[in-house]
Amino acid sequence: MLYTAFIFGLISSFHCIGMCGPIAMMLPVDRTNQTKKATQIITYHLGRLTAYATIGFVFGLLGKGFFLAGLQQNLSIFIGVAMILVVLTPEKIFAKYNFSKPVFKLISKIKTALGSQFRNKSYKSLFTIGLLNGFLPCGMVYVALFGAIAMQSESLGVLYMILFGLGTVPMMSSVVYINSYLTIPIRNRIQKAIPYVAVCIGCLFILRGLGLGIPYISPSNMSLFIQADPNCH
């Protein structure tokens, strides 16, 4: 299921353009030296990937707890259903609830720290911008974290989120170069594809949990190591 992380990252990066695009466009990079500019952008992405890997570790560890408790299969089905519900629920319904309110002060501090880093053009500042950017609330990251929880260990949770982050890199990098070509109509058309991709990924997680014995898609219970009776020889 790791490949779904990269695919979802690729398609959700068009959503990221609207949310994090302004940050990418304001990066304090060298506009005269293309080589240095490229390395600075890479440094920014390394910061984002570090943030994603960190939260992937936490949620992968949580998923490992479910795996050891023998709940991994049911959890995969639940997460698949949750993914589908999240992307199909109209945004105006979520707008009624402020999910970030409990951590509003923390988010405010992150934004303040993020703003201060734009005054410095050092690689350290670019890495910090990416790191702080990765910890800001994002609906697509939340959906990806469902996948990290469904992994069987903290290392797989980290890998899942890194692959998700890598999927966002091409578009988040190109926005620095070709922003004028990414018109609002184009972005809107591509964003319409995001729910379809998320639903497909959710269905894959449901199939994985059902343990139908389909190689690479829905492994049997024995392959998932969660069968009720031990298989001894």
Side-chain angles (χ1 to χ4, degrees), residues 57-156:
F57 176 85
V58 174
F59 282 83
L61 193 62
L62 179 61
K64 181 179 181 180
F66 285 111
F67 174 71
L68 294 176
L71 300 175
Q72 187 71 17
Q73 205 168 356
N74 292 331
L75 179 66
S76 184
I77 296 173
F78 171 79
I79 286 175
V81 173
M83 280 184 172
I84 294 172
L85 289 177
V86 167
V87 298
L88 293 183
T89 302
E91 290 187 11
K92 61 182 180 180
I93 293 180
F94 284 113
K96 295 180 181 179
Y97 307 95
N98 187 357
F99 293 104
S100 62
K101 188 174 181 179
V103 290
F104 179 75
K105 290 184 178 179
L106 177 61
I107 294 173
S108 296
K109 290 181 179 180
I110 292 176
K111 289 182 177 180
T112 301
L114 185 61
S116 65
Q117 294 299 320
F118 283 94
R119 304 188 188 99
N120 195 329
K121 293 185 178 182
S122 68
Y123 284 95
K124 180 180 178 181
S125 291
L126 287 162
F127 180 86
T128 303
I129 290 172
L131 184 69
L132 295 174
N133 187 183
F135 284 119
L136 288 176
C138 173
M140 296 299 101
V141 173
Y142 295 159
V143 174
L145 286 175
F146 283 139
I149 294 176
M151 297 296 102
Q152 300 173 358
S153 68
E154 58 271 35
S155 59
L156 288 176

